[in-house]
Amino acid sequence: MKTTEVLIIGAGPSGMVFSLALSKLGVRHILIEKRSEISNHPKAHEISGRTLEILKQLGINLQDLIEEASDQDTASKIVFCQNLRKEIGRIDLSEDKIQTKYKRDLSVPIPFLNISQTEVEKVLRKKILKQKTGELILDVEWKSSLEENSYVYTTIKHRKTNKVSEIKSKYVIACDGAGSDIRNFLNIKMSGPTKLQDVVNVYFTNDLTKQIPSKGKLYWILEASAPGVLIAHHPEKRWVYHHAIETPFERIEDCNENFFRKKLGKATGLGDRFPFQIESINHWTMTAQVANSFSLGRFYLVGDAAHRFPPTGGLGMNSGVVDSYNLAWKIDLVLRGIADESLLRSYERERKPVIERNCEESRKNWFRMFQIPRALGISLPLATRIKRLLLAHFPFFFFNKNTKYKILSYLETLANKKLTAGLQKPYIQRRVSNAIASQIGHFDRLELDLHYKYGSSEDIWIGKRFPHFPIKKGKRTISSHDLLSPDAFHLFVWKRKSGSEIKSQHLTLNQISIEVHSVSSDPELLPKNSLPSEGFVLVRPDGHIFQWKEEVVTKESTSKFLMDCLFSLQEGKGLSSDTQAITHQTNKSTRWKPIFFAAGISLSLFLYILYRPLPHPPKPANFNLVKLSEGKFQTWRPKPKKIFGMGLVYANHIEETANHFDPNIPPPIFLKENHSLTGPESTVTIPSKKELLDRLYAFEPDLKKENIEEITSFSPLMDYEVELAFVLLEDISNEKLAKENYSPKIAFFLANDVSARSLAVFGEGRSNRAEYWGISKSFPTFLPVSNRIWIPNRYTPDLLPDVRLRSTVNGEERQNESVSNMIYTPKEMLRFIRKEYPHLTLEKDDIVITGTPGGVAMSTPRPIARILSWLSLNRITKLKLALKKDRSRFIKDGDEVDMTAEGLGDLHNKFSVGRSQ
């Protein structure tokens, strides 16, 4: 017996979307399908914009669908005609006013696709086969199910071998189509007419692009001898013709290939001798029914198993996709014990009203189509009654079959003459034109696709699809929907600022994955009369708004909003306004559950705030790494006019020092004094307390009032920094730097950027903190450099020598990292320097030290740094705390520091109190 969490029966679009959603959530499941191969006979042909949004979020490459769909020009035209070659009128969805609406409301680049369901299924199945948490079993059929002790035991039969096996699951999802065996097994009845019309159709594969006078995806054929709908699933290779028949007066088995060749000849105007490449013939019954219940016990009906629509509106398959997207995340939360099982009842509460509306709209669309022949003076209901009466055994039993069809043919000829004559009359032309225009809602159905609302709340946004609108992310403008995903809740935090920049980060509260998006809101970019200019919006994994609130954003208000929402989820609410979700608490332990839940959320939120990652993790730049053999070495004696220092250019160093990183803000840059230069084997002098204070007071005289000299433990906190450095071999102007392909002429060497960290502490939290870094690094002998430089044979804008930087203290390795992990190229660094120091020129022999990798002595865990920032400590207190830390990693009198760069250079420096040797 196989065991799984969820068993999905039926691998049509609804079943496969359900499987993909569960895979995104990491839920183990099995998907079974009766057929071994996907049927080639096309069914539905329209994918709505909302379905495209969902498929994109599930990881489907929309381009794979577009390649098998008709072109958008074809997909936008609906043609009404006597036959394919005699157009009466049309609806054009490519009109500017319609397209403007689509572009405003949809996050996908195309508003709909005209594509065969069979091709959609092929793309979905290809994706399904790559999933790891789901198993697809083909060529098996459901036989029976038994619900027992919180499980469902389902028996299946393998059709090839007739072998019977069993699957044990927590839930069963019935996606087994309009004739659902599961629905019948559960004895769930359907409401609505069981038959509106019997229809036969034929699938043929001709390329008719040269035969049709105008493009269209639908051709409503009014030819009296072959009325029906001709659908161009793809005008070059896939066509389906639907023709209504009157059973039992007409027999389905009579609708054979010969029958359809005659009908196609008349419907297309190409004649029955045209070589139609008929592939298959099918029959279906048009109904308008909705299941009385969408679930029973641990069984849930999804897609056509729960509802059957007329195709007029293209709402059937699309509704099933949204059914799956609505239910999958709820099952995940219940399976993980996060939400009460009553959450699953919200599936029917939310979807059934939408489905009933879609069903009724589809039914109305079907009968609304009769307006067009009526405008021509032809009554379809009357024509149908005459046809049924004539073909019935009574009262015309004395006519044989051939005579009856001759009479029908004569009547059809009269109807065609009436149609042709009517179209010559201006007033009938106007009437027909108006009747066609009134069909626009049948095809332009954005309101039905997007703007429905779950729940009964009077709130205008709770339960609605989260709107699409532009948001800035770095230099790009993206859709708000690009931030959504089916495996997490999304908390949007709006702050009242100009612009619409987005910053995202992840947190997990009580096992619930939440993506937090902080937005500086610009009311002009948000949908009108909609979301708060300041406040919160929590979006469910299916993209619908769970709750929203307009208020001032603080840590406390954010925490309370989240806690209130998660409480509602725990109680089984699909929406915060859901009043029908009730959790029955029966003992003392369950009464404590909300308290533990609140404590868990509070602790989780606190820990998240402490340990949350940087919103924009730094990434290495793209370098052209060059071997040292592709250049030459040259001895040198540094004689710079200026020494520029870069800070925070390696991700590890940013993390160990708990610094912030923003890709849109230049790194810290400081000037280092020339007298800090010394040789590769020189002794580095450790400054005395008096020398430290003299330098500090000279830079900031007001600090004398703080009596720093009374801090008995005050010391320099000597630190090492192995760094790649470069010297300019030419003057570099702004004009040169501005050129995209400019390659600066520079030579590289090795440096140790020594620091007295105790002075740098005084700059923390200040706008000019980099200047404090400069004074902490500018004591004599604080810049040992190698005695030779490396010059590449050929320059490129992003060139670096391919070396690793290593440092040891008394033989213990402290740093070891490749220079390829730097965040900025030398050229970018030079541009930052010009921006920071516009009054200085970049001259030949100037030096740039490019920053150190991780592993320095001065480090602070980020959670500790965040706590200290909340305490708003002054600089003296911060210094005292730094001096109380473990100083074992800092450099002391007598320590020896060695640095290497794989042949680029070597440094060996001893540190000593007193004058340098």
Side-chain angles (χ1 to χ4, degrees):
M1 179 180 4
K2 289 180 176 285
T3 301
T4 190
E5 300 278 12
V6 180
L7 172 62
I8 306 169
I9 300 175
S14 298
M16 286 195 279
V17 165
F18 210 109
S19 174
L20 289 172
L22 290 183
S23 292
K24 282 283 186 181
L25 294 160
V27 177
R28 291 186 305 110
H29 64 280
I30 293 173
L31 172 63
I32 67 172
E33 168 56 41
K34 182 184 295 186
R35 299 167 298 173
S36 59
E37 301 290 339
I38 293 171
S39 169
N40 283 326
H41 192 93
K43 299 176 185 175
H45 68 100
E46 180 93 356
I47 299 184
S48 71
R50 179 59 184 146
T51 295
L52 289 170
E53 288 180 339
I54 291 171
L55 294 181
K56 181 182 177 183
Q57 289 170 3
L58 289 173
I60 298 298
N61 183 354
L62 298 188
Q63 190 60 39
D64 292 341
L65 297 172
I66 292 171
E67 287 175 2
E68 284 301 325
S70 72
D71 62 276
Q72 279 300 104
D73 194 23
T74 294
S76 300
K77 309 292 191 298
I78 298 93
V79 181
F80 298 84
C81 50
Q82 187 167 355
N83 61 46
L84 199 59
R85 302 163 78 84
K86 295 181 180 179
E87 181 177 331
I88 296 171
R90 63 173 48 210
I91 289 173
D92 189 350
L93 300 179
S94 63
E95 293 178 359
D96 287 345
K97 63 178 181 180
I98 297 176
Q99 289 296 316
T100 299
K101 178 174 60 175
Y102 292 151
K103 290 175 182 177
R104 180 195 67 210
D105 291 353
L106 283 167
S107 62
V108 287
I110 42 178
F112 42 76
L113 271 184
N114 179 45
I115 178 174
S116 293
Q117 178 179 322
T118 54
E119 302 308 310
V120 177
E121 290 185 16
K122 290 174 186 176
V123 172
L124 293 178
R125 183 171 290 189
K126 187 177 179 181
K127 184 75 173 178
I128 289 283
L129 293 173
K130 296 179 181 179
Q131 306 303 310
K132 295 181 179 180
T133 57
E135 179 183 1
L136 174 63
I137 305 176
L138 300 173
D139 211 20
V140 297
E141 61 183 2
W142 174 88
K143 298 301 292 182
S144 65
S145 290
L146 174 65
E147 183 175 343
E148 188 175 77
N149 298 327
S150 300
Y151 287 94
V152 179
Y153 298 85
T154 298
T155 301
I156 60 173
K157 185 177 85 170
H158 300 260
R159 300 175 72 192
K160 282 186 179 179
T161 63
N162 287 327
K163 179 183 174 182
V164 173
S165 60
E166 197 170 51
I167 298 174
K168 176 184 176 184
S169 63
K170 290 283 185 68
Y171 295 99
V172 171
I173 310 301
C175 301
D176 52 340
S180 173
D181 290 331
I182 308 298
R183 186 186 66 238
N184 294 331
F185 163 73
L186 297 173
N187 199 29
I188 295 176
K189 304 301 182 184
M190 305 284 282
S191 293
T194 57
K195 185 172 83 170
L196 295 175
Q197 184 69 58
D198 275 305
V199 182
V200 288
N201 61 20
V202 60
Y203 167 44
F204 60 102
T205 55
N206 297 75
D207 179 356
L208 296 185
T209 51
K210 294 180 180 178
Q211 279 75 32
I212 53 178
S214 58
K215 286 186 174 183
K217 66 178 171 187
L218 286 173
Y219 296 86
W220 291 85
I221 307 297
L222 298 177
E223 162 64 44
S225 60
V229 183
L230 195 58
I231 304 176
H233 288 237
H234 194 300
E236 296 177 10
K237 53 186 174 183
R238 282 188 291 272
W239 290 82
V240 178
Y241 169 65
H242 294 265
H243 175 70
I245 62 171
E246 300 303 322
T247 59
F249 313 105
E250 293 179 286
R251 300 193 313 163
I252 295 170
E253 52 268 32
D254 289 339
C255 301
N256 52 27
E257 188 171 320
N258 185 54
F259 169 88
F260 272 114
R261 287 195 182 279
K262 292 178 181 178
K263 293 294 182 186
L264 285 174
K266 293 175 181 177
T268 60
L270 298 173
D272 55 11
R273 292 191 178 184
F274 186 84
F276 293 104
Q277 297 168 17
I278 293 177
E279 299 292 329
S280 54
I281 295 169
N282 206 350
H283 159 258
W284 57 279
T285 301
M286 186 188 301
T287 65
Q289 291 186 301
V290 178
N292 292 341
S293 174
F294 283 13
S295 67
L296 183 64
R298 293 182 170 272
F299 297 85
Y300 289 83
L301 307 182
V302 170
D304 287 355
H307 43 79
R308 302 184 291 196
F309 305 159
T312 38
L315 296 167
M317 178 178 69
N318 294 298
S319 294
V321 167
V322 183
D323 289 347
S324 296
Y325 212 48
N326 178 284
L327 181 57
W329 68 270
K330 297 174 182 177
I331 282 186
D332 170 56
L333 290 188
V334 172
L335 284 172
R336 291 195 284 136
I338 295 169
D340 187 82
E341 197 162 23
S342 60
L343 175 64
L344 300 182
R345 299 178 208 147
S346 68
Y347 164 60
E348 180 173 330
R349 284 199 301 273
E350 293 176 359
R351 289 300 299 159
K352 194 175 182 184
V354 176
I355 293 302
E356 288 174 336
R357 184 196 62 179
N358 288 352
C359 184
E360 179 60 16
E361 189 65 25
S362 299
R363 189 191 66 80
K364 286 181 178 178
N365 284 339
W366 168 248
F367 290 109
R368 197 177 289 128
M369 294 302 299
F370 295 173
Q371 294 174 357
I372 297 170
R374 191 183 304 131
L376 288 161
I378 299 170
S379 170
L380 281 185
L382 177 60
T384 300
R385 285 195 292 270
I386 291 173
K387 185 176 183 180
R388 287 178 177 178
L389 187 64
L390 184 61
L391 294 179
H393 180 67
F394 182 84
F396 298 105
F397 58 88
F398 46 85
F399 288 150
N400 62 31
K401 184 177 179 180
N402 288 337
T403 303
K404 290 181 179 182
Y405 275 101
K406 284 182 180 178
I407 295 171
L408 276 180
S409 179
Y410 174 72
L411 294 175
E412 289 165 355
T413 302
L414 291 179
N416 280 333
K417 288 181 178 179
K418 185 173 185 179
L419 186 152
T420 303
L423 288 173
Q424 307 305 314
K425 300 174 182 177
Y427 78 94
I428 289 184
Q429 290 176 358
R430 289 193 298 272
R431 205 160 63 186
V432 171
S433 178
N434 291 336
I436 290 174
S438 70
Q439 308 299 318
I440 186 69
H442 175 164
F443 307 101
D444 176 22
R445 56 179 192 282
L446 197 63
E447 192 71 24
L448 291 172
D449 287 336
L450 299 185
H451 298 148
Y452 55 85
K453 178 177 172 292
Y454 293 148
S456 56
S457 168
E458 294 182 0
D459 186 280
I460 61 169
W461 277 103
I462 293 177
K464 292 199 76 171
R465 160 187 167 273
F466 185 67
H468 149 71
F469 53 89
I471 290 180
K472 293 176 184 175
K473 189 173 185 179
K475 296 180 180 179
R476 297 185 302 127
T477 298
I478 63 171
S479 165
S480 55
H481 279 217
D482 291 335
L483 302 170
L484 304 181
S485 60
D487 56 353
F489 281 78
H490 293 262
L491 175 65
F492 287 81
V493 181
W494 267 280
K495 295 183 180 180
R496 199 184 299 271
K497 295 180 182 178
S498 61
S500 184
E501 179 74 21
I502 186 78
K503 293 183 179 179
S504 301
Q505 50 198 353
H506 177 82
L507 69 95
T508 301
L509 296 181
N510 279 40
Q511 303 178 63
I512 298 177
S513 181
I514 302 175
E515 298 292 335
V516 182
H517 310 289
S518 299
V519 185
S520 300
S521 65
D522 183 345
E524 292 186 5
L525 294 177
L526 297 179
K528 292 183 178 179
N529 303 318
S530 60
L531 302 171
S533 56
E534 183 163 15
F536 314 98
V537 179
L538 185 66
V539 183
R540 309 187 319 187
D542 66 346
H544 284 257
I545 295 174
F546 182 86
Q547 172 64 303
W548 73 290
K549 189 173 185 180
E550 187 157 18
E551 67 174 321
V552 176
V553 174
T554 64
K555 291 177 182 177
E556 293 75 17
S557 63
T558 305
S559 177
K560 185 178 185 306
F561 178 81
L562 266 180
M563 286 178 66
D564 289 344
C565 290
L566 296 183
F567 272 138
S568 297
L569 269 175
Q570 183 211 17
E571 292 173 349
K573 293 184 177 182
L575 303 166
S576 66
S577 59
D578 196 343
T579 58
Q580 297 184 50
I582 301 173
T583 303
H584 297 286
Q585 302 197 353
T586 58
N587 55 49
K588 292 181 179 179
S589 64
T590 56
R591 287 202 300 269
W592 284 96
K593 194 173 181 181
I595 297 173
F596 292 137
F597 187 75
I601 290 176
S602 300
L603 178 61
S604 299
L605 190 60
F606 177 70
L607 291 175
Y608 163 73
I609 292 170
L610 283 183
Y611 289 93
R612 71 187 186 276
L614 291 171
H616 302 285
K619 296 178 181 179
N622 293 318
F623 292 108
N624 173 24
L625 295 175
V626 177
K627 300 294 183 185
L628 295 179
S629 60
E630 299 179 42
K632 63 183 179 181
F633 284 97
Q634 179 178 307
T635 58
W636 78 310
R637 188 175 185 85
K639 46 184 179 180
K641 293 182 180 178
K642 298 174 288 296
I643 302 174
F644 298 99
M646 308 294 299
L648 307 179
V649 297
Y650 289 85
N652 287 339
H653 185 52
I654 292 172
E655 185 58 35
E656 72 181 353
T657 54
N659 275 287
H660 298 292
F661 173 76
D662 188 330
N664 298 312
I665 298 176
I669 304 172
F670 54 89
L671 284 167
K672 191 155 179 163
E673 294 181 16
N674 286 15
H675 64 227
S676 61
L677 281 165
T678 191
E681 297 185 359
S682 300
T683 297
V684 177
T685 302
I686 300 175
S688 65
K689 180 176 179 178
K690 181 179 184 305
E691 288 173 315
L692 292 169
L693 292 174
D694 286 347
R695 179 60 59 91
L696 185 62
Y697 293 157
F699 181 74
E700 189 178 347
D702 288 346
L703 280 173
K704 291 180 180 180
K705 302 174 185 177
E706 301 293 341
N707 298 319
I708 300 171
E709 59 273 9
E710 295 179 5
I711 303 175
T712 55
S713 60
F714 186 70
S715 66
L717 298 178
M718 294 291 290
D719 208 346
Y720 51 86
E721 293 183 3
V722 62
E723 301 192 19
L724 179 69
F726 61 83
V727 57
L728 306 190
L729 301 181
E730 63 174 357
D731 295 343
I732 299 178
S733 64
N734 289 346
E735 290 73 22
K736 287 181 178 179
L737 277 178
K739 293 178 180 178
E740 194 65 32
N741 295 323
Y742 171 66
S743 302
K745 304 299 184 291
I746 55 179
F748 296 89
F749 61 94
L750 184 64
N752 181 358
D753 187 15
V754 181
S755 302
R757 299 289 190 192
S758 58
L759 296 193
V761 170
F762 287 92
E764 294 309 308
R766 302 178 77 85
S767 60
N768 64 336
R769 69 168 178 164
E771 294 182 46
Y772 287 86
W773 293 8
I775 66 167
S776 74
K777 295 169 176 284
S778 289
F779 289 91
T781 71
F782 266 33
L783 185 58
V785 298
S786 55
N787 57 8
R788 61 179 187 168
I789 55 176
W790 177 79
I791 305 171
N793 293 335
R794 179 173 165 272
Y795 287 98
T796 60
D798 50 3
L799 179 143
L800 270 191
D802 187 9
V803 295
R804 292 186 74 84
L805 303 179
R806 292 183 173 89
S807 70
T808 64
V809 178
N810 301 326
E812 176 194 350
E813 184 173 274
R814 297 288 182 88
Q815 296 174 281
N816 186 339
E817 190 162 353
S818 170
V819 297
S820 63
N821 287 334
M822 283 200 294
I823 302 168
Y824 310 105
T825 65
K827 183 177 177 181
E828 288 175 314
M829 294 179 186
L830 292 171
R831 286 175 172 174
F832 290 145
I833 290 170
R834 289 297 300 128
K835 187 175 181 180
E836 181 68 20
Y837 297 103
H839 58 288
L840 299 179
T841 56
L842 292 171
E843 300 174 275
K844 182 180 179 182
D845 295 326
D846 283 350
I847 287 173
V848 178
I849 46 178
T850 64
T852 189
V856 297
M858 186 72 162
S859 64
T860 304
R862 194 171 294 280
I864 300 299
R866 283 171 174 155
I867 291 174
L868 292 176
S869 70
W870 298 340
L871 296 175
S872 301
L873 302 176
N874 62 39
R875 292 184 290 171
I876 304 303
T877 304
K878 288 180 180 178
L879 175 63
K880 290 178 180 178
L881 288 173
L883 293 169
K884 286 181 180 180
K885 290 171 62 176
D886 177 17
R887 300 194 212 175
S888 60
R889 287 180 60 84
F890 289 100
I891 303 299
K892 300 177 291 296
D893 185 28
D895 284 349
E896 296 184 7
V897 178
D898 289 281
M899 296 182 173
T900 63
E902 297 184 321
L904 182 67
D906 298 284
L907 304 175
H908 175 77
N909 303 104
K910 185 175 181 179
F911 285 66
S912 174
V913 175
R915 300 186 61 81
S916 60
Q917 302 298 314

